[in-house]
Amino acid sequence: MTIKLKLKDVRDKLKDDTLDLSLCDLEEVPVREIASLRKATNVNLSTNLLVSLPVTFVTLKQIVKLDLSRNMLVELPENFGEMTQLKHLDLYANKISRLPLSLSELKNLRWLDLKENPLTEAVASVAGPCSNMRECQACARNIVSYLSNVKLHIEEEKLRRLNNVASDADKEVTGTKRENKRKRKKNTEKEKSNGDKIDSLPQREGCSQDNNDSVRLTGSSSDRASTRKSSRSTGTGLCRSLTCVIVWLFLVSLLLTLTLILLSWRYERQTDILLQNVQTFSGLPLKNYHRQATDYLQGVIKFATAQIKFIIDVASNFYRAQFENGTSKTGKEL
């Protein structure tokens, strides 16, 4: 269960400038209550259950001496360096493996204990043993200096990378400009060579540069005319296709009609039933059309028969007359 101290409880633990909150089983730091005690410059939070410090902890800028030993702190806030008044910092026996770079801004730090923490080998070697006052003072001085150098190195590395990116961009822009300049030069040389070839060709009689321009204009107009002709030919082809479709539909309809008429002569009853069913289904007067078509076809057949009979009679009379005349002439000669 999380233990939270009230303002009255915190005030009861304040003696002069020292606020002793050790051995209170705290899991959270009562930042608001401590901030209200402006006299508390020496704060003891050792031997509690603290795992982390809140970001708002740095608002306690009045603290000069801070004891966080024998907790379970994993790391310090990244903005811990804003506690610029801090001179004494005890982090003994925690679980801190890394230190924030902002710790390099604690220029007033004179005492630091980092023993019994899983620090990296490099940081542990810089911190040293810290078994007495002189060694803890050296630890504070060395850690601040070390983190300052690391921060400076990181900033230089960032600046170098930015410069490399900028130089690469400049190189790319320069290369692009050179490539464009080379292309323009090639195009200029091609245009110049083409102009020399045109000037070297023999000019036709009565032609000049103006005539060449008129020829170009005429060519463009002829292109437009050819475009119009092609569109017209496309329209003509479409009309022809539609005409062919209509003619084929007419021929097929005519063939079907003749087939029905011929079938009706032989199978009159079946054809009549078929037409009746189709007429009932479609609603078209097919029997009337069939009757009219049959009558018309019979009239055509009668007319054609009469004409054929007339032609046969005329041919027979002509042949008979020629045969009789030839026979009479042969008899006279004999």
Side-chain angles (χ1 to χ4, degrees):
M1 182 176 179
T2 303
I3 297 176
K4 292 186 179 180
L5 296 178
K6 295 181 180 180
L7 179 59
K8 181 178 180 303
D9 299 331
V10 174
R11 284 179 178 176
D12 292 341
K13 295 180 180 296
L14 179 64
K15 292 182 180 180
D16 295 331
D17 62 346
T18 302
L19 179 62
D20 189 3
L21 297 176
S22 61
L23 298 171
C24 293
D25 294 332
L26 295 176
E27 295 182 5
E28 294 180 1
V29 178
V31 176
R32 184 179 301 177
E33 288 76 7
I34 297 174
S36 64
L37 305 175
R38 305 300 300 177
K39 292 171 57 178
T41 59
N42 183 0
V43 179
N44 186 358
L45 291 168
S46 64
T47 318
N48 282 292
L49 303 176
L50 300 177
V51 177
S52 63
L53 299 179
V55 179
T56 57
F57 187 82
V58 297
T59 59
L60 305 176
K61 297 184 183 297
Q62 77 273 15
I63 297 179
V64 176
K65 183 177 181 180
L66 178 62
D67 190 353
L68 292 169
S69 62
R70 300 184 185 280
N71 279 282
M72 294 183 290
L73 294 174
V74 177
E75 61 182 1
L76 298 177
E78 293 295 332
N79 59 349
F80 194 81
E82 295 180 12
M83 302 183 70
T84 54
Q85 300 298 322
L86 197 61
K87 294 182 179 180
H88 184 107
L89 178 60
D90 193 347
L91 295 173
Y92 171 76
N94 278 278
K95 296 182 180 181
I96 297 174
S97 60
R98 57 177 295 273
L99 297 174
L101 290 177
S102 63
L103 211 66
S104 62
E105 300 174 6
L106 300 180
K107 304 300 182 182
N108 293 322
L109 191 63
R110 297 291 180 266
W111 195 94
L112 177 62
D113 189 356
L114 291 172
K115 294 191 305 295
E116 301 298 327
N117 280 284
L119 300 172
T120 60
E121 185 177 353
V123 176
S125 62
V126 172
C130 190
S131 57
N132 53 50
M133 176 67 71
R134 185 176 60 82
E135 291 178 349
C136 291
Q137 290 177 349
C139 176
R141 185 170 56 255
N142 294 337
I143 289 294
V144 171
S145 177
Y146 172 76
L147 293 177
S148 298
N149 292 332
V150 171
K151 186 177 180 180
L152 180 62
H153 177 72
I154 292 175
E155 291 177 354
E156 290 177 352
E157 184 66 21
K158 288 182 179 179
L159 183 61
R160 185 183 65 80
R161 290 182 179 179
L162 289 175
N163 291 333
N164 290 336
V165 172
S167 63
D168 292 340
D170 293 338
K171 289 180 181 179
E172 186 175 356
V173 171
T174 304
T176 305
K177 288 182 178 180
R178 289 179 179 176
E179 185 66 22
N180 293 334
K181 187 176 181 181
R182 192 180 298 110
K183 288 181 179 180
R184 286 196 298 270
K185 186 176 180 181
K186 288 183 179 179
N187 293 331
T188 303
E189 291 176 355
K190 287 182 179 179
E191 290 177 358
K192 186 176 180 181
S193 61
N194 291 334
D196 294 339
K197 290 180 181 178
I198 292 172
D199 293 337
S200 63
L201 292 175
Q203 296 182 354
R204 295 181 180 179
E205 295 181 358
C207 294
S208 63
Q209 187 64 31
D210 295 335
N211 292 335
N212 292 334
D213 296 337
S214 64
V215 169
R216 293 175 185 174
L217 294 174
T218 306
S220 61
S221 61
S222 64
D223 292 339
R224 291 194 294 270
S226 63
T227 304
R228 289 196 295 270
K229 287 181 180 180
S230 62
S231 61
R232 289 177 183 175
S233 62
T234 304
T236 304
L238 182 60
C239 292
R240 287 178 181 175
S241 300
L242 291 175
T243 304
C244 291
V245 170
I246 293 171
V247 170
W248 275 107
L249 288 175
F250 175 75
L251 292 176
V252 170
S253 301
L254 181 60
L255 182 60
L256 290 174
T257 303
L258 292 175
T259 303
L260 286 173
I261 292 171
L262 294 175
L263 289 174
S264 64
W265 289 350
R266 183 172 180 83
Y267 305 102
E268 183 176 359
R269 184 171 176 277
Q270 290 82 353
T271 305
D272 188 52
I273 294 171
L274 176 63
L275 290 174
Q276 182 64 36
N277 293 332
V278 175
Q279 180 174 332
T280 303
F281 179 76
S282 63
L284 298 175
L286 296 179
K287 294 182 71 176
N288 189 18
Y289 294 158
H290 180 261
R291 190 180 305 108
Q292 291 179 2
T294 304
D295 295 340
Y296 179 75
L297 183 60
Q298 288 178 353
V300 172
I301 292 173
K302 288 180 181 180
F303 178 76
T305 304
Q307 293 297 324
I308 292 170
K309 186 178 180 182
F310 174 74
I311 293 170
I312 292 172
D313 291 340
V314 171
S316 298
N317 293 333
F318 178 76
Y319 177 74
R320 192 180 299 113
Q322 292 295 329
F323 180 74
E324 290 177 356
N325 291 333
T327 304
S328 63
K329 287 181 180 180
T330 304
K332 288 180 181 179
E333 290 176 357
L334 291 174

